[in-house]
Every structure is written in C-alpha cells, then in structure tokens.
C-alpha cells in the first residue's frame, strides 16, 4: 500500500533541473504516460504564450539512458514528446541521435524555437530519468512558467489519441533533424572561446577523457579538433553509451578519485597529466591533474577560480583599450565559492549571485545581456561551468576544451593548473571550501531538521552558535529572512518549495544547508574567504573542517535522524 501511495498519490514537480524521478509505473515516476501528460501540458501553455508556435516549433533532444526490462529509454520518451507536438501540427526539431544537454538550449536559440525539451537525468543513478524544459531564451524554465506549465499538465491528463503515435516522428513533414546543422554551428561558434590555436598545436601535454558511459565522446573529440589540440585519449571502457554505467559505482564524476579510477590508471599508463571527465549528458566537467606523482582532483570551486581567471585574462588581452570593466559580468550560484566576487572587487567588473541551479543563472544572463552586458563566465560548485555566452547553461564540452587550452598555455610558462590556482589565491585571497552531503529518503525528517533550526531557542529563533562557533548572520531563503539586511528581508527570491539556510560565522566562514532539487540529499557547503596575502592555508583548512563537522553533527544530527553519510 505504501509503495502504491508513493507511485500514485503525487505528481512530479519542477526542481532545480526540471522533472526528475525514477523510471517506472505511477504518476510520480517517469514513464510513457507521465511524459505524454507533461508534453500535453507544455503544448497547452506554449500555444497560449506563443501565437506563432506553429512557425517556431520546439527542439527535442535525449541522452543514452534506458531500462532494458521496461523498454523505457530517453530516445523513446523523446519520440513520444515529439509525437504530442506533431499531432497538434507543431514543427519539431528532434535530434536523430543522443546529444549533450547544452545542444538543446543552443538549438533553441539558434533556430528561434519557442522551447526545448531534453530527456536526461544527467548524473543521477541509472534508475532515474528526467524532462528538462528550456524557454525561448535558451535558459531553463523558472517562475512563473514552471508553475503555469504544471497547472496546464494537471488540466491535460488524458492522452490525446495521436500522442502515443511515435511513428509521427518518421512520417510527419513537420519533423526535422537539426543534428548536422547544430553540430556544425556549435563547433564553429566554439572558436569564440579559443584564444591560442597556434600554441595548442604544439603542446607536449597529453589529455585523457572519460565520457562516463554517456554522450560526450564524439563531441569532446570534435571540440579538441576545433581548438587545434591533440585528441584526448578516450577511456575505452567508458567511451560508449551504457545505460547500466557498469564501470562506476555512480555516474557522477563529481564524486572524485574513486569514480575516476579507470581514467587515472589510463593517464598513468599513457603519460598524460590531465584527466577530463564529462558526466553522462556532458553538461558538467571534472578535472584532475598529476602533481608531484599524486593526482589532484579539483573541486568545482577550484576549477571556477582557474576558469574565471582565464576568461578574464583573455578578455583583457583582446580589449586592451577597455578601462571601464562595468560592462563585463560573471555569475555564480549562492552556494558556490565567492572567489569571483573577490576577482570583481579587485578587477572592477560586475558580479552577481543567484539561487542554486543553472536555471537562475541562465535567466539572469538574459536579463544582463538585454542591458548590454557581456557575460564572460558563470558557474555552480557542482562542476557546472559556462565559458562565454554561446549557451546560457552549463556545458562540459566547451569547458573540456577551454581547460585543456588553459593547461597548454600555463605549460609554456612552466606552470601547472594547481600552481596557477595558488597564484590566484595569493592575488585574490585564499578561498577554501568544503562541499558534501548526507542522504535522506524521508521527507518528514528533512522538514523536522529545518524546522528545528528555525525554532532553536523558541518560535522563529535561529541558533546564535554552532558548537563553540558564534553565528553573526542568518539568511533563510525558504522563509525570506535575512538578519544582515536592514529590513531583515532576503535579497534573493523566495524558494518556498525547497529548504536553504545560510549561516555567517564570526570568523568569516559562510555555511549553507540545503535540500537537493534532483536527489534525496541534504547538501552542505562551507567556505573560508581570506584576504590577499594570507599564506598559512593549513590553519584555515583546519578551522573550516572543525566548523563543517560541528555544522553537520549539531544541526543535521545524522545518527539520530538515520541519515546516510557520503561513502565515497
């Protein structure tokens, strides 16, 4: 009975990355019916919003996920998505094979489509799939569109007769395949973030690339060719699509060394010093570098410090006449490192923070570009990077080529990525961060944990310390409270449907607890931002570790609440 309730008594809602759930039977899961219902609702909303929907059409892409037993694959779900639209005489640009997620928003902008749908669950476990929706501006949908689409889905639950007809994808004259045209345009436009083509051809560096059993192999190879870089050596066991993700414990390269084992082993054998791993839908990128016979796996925050520095360096080289940096922007999500803010304060460009999730960054970019700003770089700490503004979303394909070029350039100066990161910290101040999570499959427990934080010493009273560490400010994006603002109101938009509380400690450490929008996790983020010139990083790391431990043990109480600690 409990299992039936779980499957049938709720519907999926849009999280930080669209609809995402396990594949299986039930209204709360991903299957033929729920995808048809979602697309019928999307059609209803788009037809109200776009009088020219019949001219604009929509883009549909998919990754390589699937369940053999049920026959539920991303490709099949993409065809059903297309069939719903085609049955209503809406043109559909349906990719004829799997593509990286960033190709869908890129195609939406390039083709002037009204919207895009990508069938993917990115780096989630193999049981999951998802339905990611992009708006006309190429950004993932956010309020009010997400709520309005859900309302339209609720009003469109009965499948239309032709919605099941996936043969429409091959028979309808309104269906076209954008693969060749979009691949060509994307690779041509990629040259906008390539700065040293001649130098790249001469690099002695060797690179290893893992596609993590997903879509990335061919596209990363093409991107390296565009940059005139030597082709990366593919990890043979992970090069081709495999919906079982059979060589990794979980298909998320963010988990670090344990899931990068095959890549690091191959790199050792081939004498490669840089490992690049794209996640299964190639929108995120993990990077490791061999330093003094040991591998360093960079965090998303560390990689962002390098990429932010790199994009700024090359922009300044290309615009020597620009004294005023006010038109230049970089963005990051609020749980990510504040390193770009430190860059902005010294270099004079514009920096903005958004809520977690690239949908917020994508929509903010659109806003800034309308004001004539140039967005050079944006990132989220979970290894999501956007170099340049050709795609208003994270993109592991372009990031892989940009990182390789940066490494090649630094090599000519006898520098490694890691050494340059140290240089950046010397100039802009060390930014030491910790990011991790606990797993919780019980929503009432999560609610109880956060309710306790909001009623610590009485109703609506937050904690003023954590262990021996004094808290000076609290921001609660779920309720809209911010003690650091004169009116105690949060500057960031309210997110009532997810939990997120940020604590600023007397020592300057900033810590955030939040629920994941895509997985059953409570994530925690801590960062120590020191001033330039601070050299004793080990004492900062020690202090940060102590605060992080206190935060988890005191505020989350993992043992008492039966939370599963990160095992990797």
């Amino acid at each position: 009975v409990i299992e039936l309730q779980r499957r049938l008594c709720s519907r999926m809602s849009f999280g930080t990355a669209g609809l995402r759930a396990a594949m299986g039977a039930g209204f709360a899961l991903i299957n033929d019916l729920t995808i048809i219902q979602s697309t019928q609702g999307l059609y209803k909303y788009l037809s109200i919003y776009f009088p020219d929907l019949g001219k604009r059409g929509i883009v549909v892409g998919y990754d390589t996920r699937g369940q053999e037993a049920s026959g539920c694959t991303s490709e099949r779900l993409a065809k059903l998505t297309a069939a719903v639209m085609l049955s209503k005489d809406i043109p559909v640009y349906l990719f004829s094979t799997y593509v990286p997620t960033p190709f869908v928003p890129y195609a939406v902008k390039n083709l002037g489509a009204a919207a895009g749908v990508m069938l993917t669950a990115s780096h989630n476990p193999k049981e999951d799939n998802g339905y990611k929706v992009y708006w006309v501006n190429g950004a993932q949908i956010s309020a009010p569109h997400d709520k309005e689409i859900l309302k339209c889905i609720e009003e469109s639950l009965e499948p239309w007769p032709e919605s099941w007809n996936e043969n429409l994808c091959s028979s309808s004259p309104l269906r076209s395949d954008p693969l060749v045209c979009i691949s060509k345009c994307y690779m041509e436009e990629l040259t906008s973030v390539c700065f040293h083509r001649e130098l790249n051809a001469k690099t002695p560096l060797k690179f290893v690339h893992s596609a993590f059993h997903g879509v990335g192999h061919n596209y990363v190879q093409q991107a390296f060719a565009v940059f005139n870089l030597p082709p990366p050596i593919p990890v043979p066991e992970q090069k081709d699509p495999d919906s079982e993700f059979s060589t990794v414990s979980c298909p998320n390269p963010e988990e670090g060394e344990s899931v990068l084992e095959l890549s690091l082993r191959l790199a050792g054998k081939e004498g490669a010093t840089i490992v690049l791993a794209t996640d299964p839908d190639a929108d995120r990128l993990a990077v490791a570098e061999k330093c003094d016979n040991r591998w360093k796996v960079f965090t998303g925050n560390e990689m962002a410090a390098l990429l932010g520095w790199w994009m700024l360096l090359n922009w300044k080289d290309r615009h020597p006449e620009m004294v005023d940096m006010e038109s230049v922007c970089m963005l990051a999500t609020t749980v990510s490192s504040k390193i770009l803010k430190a860059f902005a304060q010294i270099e004079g460009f514009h920096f903005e923070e958004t809520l977690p999730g690239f949908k917020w960054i994508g929509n903010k970019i659109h806003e800034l570009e309308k004001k004539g700003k140039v967005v050079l770089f944006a990132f989220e700490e979970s290894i999501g990077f956007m170099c340049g503004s050709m795609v208003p979303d994270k993109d592991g394909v372009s990031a892989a080529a940009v990182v390789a070029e940066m490494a090649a350039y630094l090599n000519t100066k006898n520098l490694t990525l890691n050494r340059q990161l140290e240089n950046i910290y010397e100039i802009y101040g060390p930014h030491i961060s910790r990011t991790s999570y606990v797993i919780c499959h019980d929503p009432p427990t999560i609610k109880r944990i956060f309710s306790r934080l909001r009623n610590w010493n009485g109703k609506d009273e937050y904690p003023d310390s954590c262990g021996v560490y004094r808290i000076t400010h609290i921001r609660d994006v779920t309720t809209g409270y911010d003690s650091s603002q004169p009116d105690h109101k949060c500057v960031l938009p309210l997110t009532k449907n997810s939990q997120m509380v940020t604590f600023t400690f007397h020592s300057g450490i900033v810590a955030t607890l939040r629920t994941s929008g895509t997985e059953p996790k409570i994530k925690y983020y801590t960062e120590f931002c020191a001033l330039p010139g601070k050299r004793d990083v080990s004492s900062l790391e020690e202090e940060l570790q102590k605060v992080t431990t206190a935060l988890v043990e005191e505020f989350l109480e993992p043992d008492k609440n039966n939370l599963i600690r990160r095992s990797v």
Side-chain angles (χ1 to χ4, degrees):
V1 172
I2 292 167
E3 180 60 14
L4 285 173
Q5 280 178 339
R6 188 182 71 80
R7 287 170 178 254
L8 298 171
C9 295
S10 64
R11 297 197 70 82
M12 294 174 287
S13 61
F14 286 98
T16 47
L19 304 171
R20 207 175 274 187
M23 291 177 272
F27 304 125
L29 303 181
I30 296 269
N31 51 60
D32 290 5
L33 176 64
T34 52
I35 292 301
I36 285 172
Q37 291 172 329
S38 300
T39 310
Q40 290 181 169
L42 179 63
Y43 162 77
K44 186 175 180 183
Y45 184 66
L46 292 176
S47 60
I48 298 163
Y49 207 93
F50 293 98
D52 58 349
L53 180 62
K55 279 200 188 77
R56 282 181 175 272
I58 79 153
V59 175
V60 181
Y62 55 93
D63 69 8
T64 58
R65 284 177 177 262
Q67 265 183 346
E68 220 169 294
S70 66
C72 181
T73 65
S74 295
E75 182 176 5
R76 175 175 166 74
L77 299 174
K79 285 179 177 175
L80 289 170
T81 300
V84 171
M85 292 290 176
L86 292 168
S87 74
K88 292 293 179 185
D89 296 328
I90 304 304
V92 175
Y93 301 97
L94 170 66
F95 283 99
S96 55
T97 186
Y98 52 81
V99 289
T101 290
F103 271 44
V104 170
Y106 181 78
V108 168
K109 283 184 77 178
N110 189 283
L111 300 165
V117 174
M118 177 70 186
L119 280 300
T120 180
S122 190
H123 57 280
N124 271 42
K126 65 180 182 182
E127 293 79 16
D128 291 0
N129 216 325
Y131 186 91
K132 214 170 190 178
V133 182
Y134 291 89
W135 197 240
V136 64
N137 60 6
Q140 288 175 51
I141 56 160
S142 59
H145 304 306
D146 50 2
K147 301 282 178 290
E148 294 298 322
I149 291 169
L150 283 175
K151 207 186 290 177
C152 288
I153 292 170
E154 295 282 356
E155 294 161 3
S156 315
L157 297 179
E158 190 176 331
W160 307 324
E162 285 294 277
S163 291
W164 297 98
N165 184 5
E166 58 182 296
N167 293 334
L168 282 174
C169 296
S170 46
S171 63
S172 171
L174 290 172
R175 183 265 161 134
S176 57
D177 174 13
L179 183 67
V180 174
C181 139
I182 291 302
S183 296
K184 184 172 178 287
C185 293
Y186 175 93
M187 292 301 164
E188 279 170 6
E189 208 175 322
L190 202 53
T191 56
S192 65
V193 288
C194 174
F195 309 109
H196 302 279
R197 255 187 127 252
E198 296 74 34
L199 187 143
N200 291 344
K202 299 182 199 131
T203 187
L205 294 181
K206 284 183 175 181
F207 305 92
V208 159
H209 171 241
S210 169
F212 257 65
H213 298 297
V215 306
H217 172 71
N218 290 338
Y219 301 100
V220 170
Q221 292 287 333
Q222 286 174 50
F224 268 60
V226 166
F227 272 57
N228 221 7
L229 285 157
I233 303 157
V235 178
E237 303 93 329
Q238 298 174 338
K239 173 173 83 74
D240 300 318
D242 168 11
S243 58
E244 288 297 309
F245 304 112
S246 50
T247 68
V248 286
S249 53
C250 74
N252 185 355
E254 197 187 348
E255 294 290 353
E257 220 164 310
S258 61
V259 290
L260 296 173
E261 193 184 337
L262 288 176
S263 307
L264 302 179
R265 199 186 302 158
L266 178 66
K269 203 170 90 187
E270 295 283 353
T273 51
I274 308 269
V275 163
L276 304 161
T278 44
D279 70 342
D281 67 328
D283 66 347
R284 304 187 317 143
L285 178 76
V287 181
E289 180 183 54
K290 197 160 199 179
C291 309
D292 307 323
N293 279 328
R294 283 180 62 241
W295 284 98
K296 175 181 172 62
V297 181
F298 292 92
T299 66
N301 286 332
E302 289 170 334
M303 212 59 240
L306 284 160
L307 285 167
W309 163 80
W310 177 247
M311 294 304 290
L312 185 65
L313 173 79
N314 287 290
W315 192 87
K316 289 203 299 197
D317 276 357
R318 290 187 166 195
H319 300 84
E321 75 293 346
M322 287 291 288
V323 185
D324 181 18
M325 298 281 284
E326 261 304 292
S327 66
V328 173
C329 295
M330 291 196 193
L331 294 99
T333 59
T334 188
V335 292
S336 302
S337 171
K338 309 287 180 248
I339 188 70
L340 298 187
K341 188 181 181 184
F343 286 6
Q345 282 165 347
I346 289 175
E347 302 290 346
F349 63 81
H350 182 71
F351 168 72
E352 288 216 20
E353 252 186 11
T354 72
L355 286 170
F358 243 90
K359 66 179 182 183
W360 299 101
I361 288 179
N363 285 293
K364 179 58 79 174
I365 287 167
H366 184 62
E367 218 176 278
L368 290 166
E369 287 181 342
K370 279 200 295 197
K371 294 177 186 167
K373 304 273 189 191
V374 179
V375 180
L376 287 191
F377 177 67
F379 86 102
E380 59 184 2
E381 52 67 44
S382 51
I383 61 172
F385 311 109
M386 186 199 87
C387 302
S389 53
M390 59 184 268
V391 184
D393 202 7
K394 54 186 181 279
D395 183 351
V397 176
S398 61
V402 172
V403 168
E405 179 178 73
M406 172 170 58
Y409 170 86
L410 287 169
N411 185 252
T412 66
K413 312 279 184 202
N414 289 323
L415 287 166
T416 59
L417 293 172
N418 194 43
R419 183 70 196 107
Q420 181 54 28
L421 182 64
E422 288 168 7
N423 293 343
I424 290 167
Y425 286 160
E426 276 179 31
I427 299 164
Y428 301 101
H431 285 60
I432 315 297
S433 58
R434 293 266 177 284
T435 301
S436 196
Y437 59 82
V438 289
I439 295 169
C440 181
H441 292 285
D442 183 45
T445 299
I446 293 174
K447 210 171 176 182
R448 199 169 60 245
I449 287 168
F450 282 91
S451 174
R452 176 173 167 259
L453 291 175
R454 296 186 180 106
N455 303 282
W456 193 258
N457 293 320
K459 191 169 161 42
D460 299 333
E461 276 189 39
Y462 293 86
D464 54 10
S465 65
C466 177
V468 296
Y469 304 100
R470 191 151 67 84
I471 294 167
T472 51
H473 291 302
I474 286 173
R475 182 187 67 194
D476 187 341
V477 178
T478 309
T479 62
Y481 170 77
D482 187 341
S483 68
S484 70
Q485 296 298 318
D487 61 357
H488 284 190
K489 284 192 179 148
C490 211
V491 177
L492 288 169
L494 208 64
T495 59
K496 288 180 183 171
N497 297 332
S498 63
Q499 305 281 359
M500 187 166 108
V501 184
T502 300
F503 307 91
T504 303
F505 288 86
H506 182 64
S507 61
I509 288 174
V510 178
T512 297
L513 296 173
R514 69 174 271 261
T515 47
S516 166
T518 56
E519 294 166 286
K521 290 175 178 176
I522 301 174
K523 294 187 167 185
Y524 53 93
Y525 313 80
T526 53
E527 184 175 37
F528 208 137
C529 308
L531 293 170
K534 176 88 176 162
R535 283 172 180 266
D536 182 16
V537 176
S538 60
S539 67
L540 299 182
E541 285 179 334
E542 209 176 297
E543 172 91 346
L544 188 69
Q545 189 53 55
K546 285 179 184 170
V547 172
T548 306
T549 302
L551 183 86
V552 173
E553 297 305 324
E554 294 239 347
F555 289 173
L556 298 182
E557 301 181 301
D559 298 335
K560 182 182 166 188
N561 290 312
N562 296 318
L563 307 178
I564 303 162
R565 296 173 193 262
R566 183 180 184 174
S567 60
V568 180

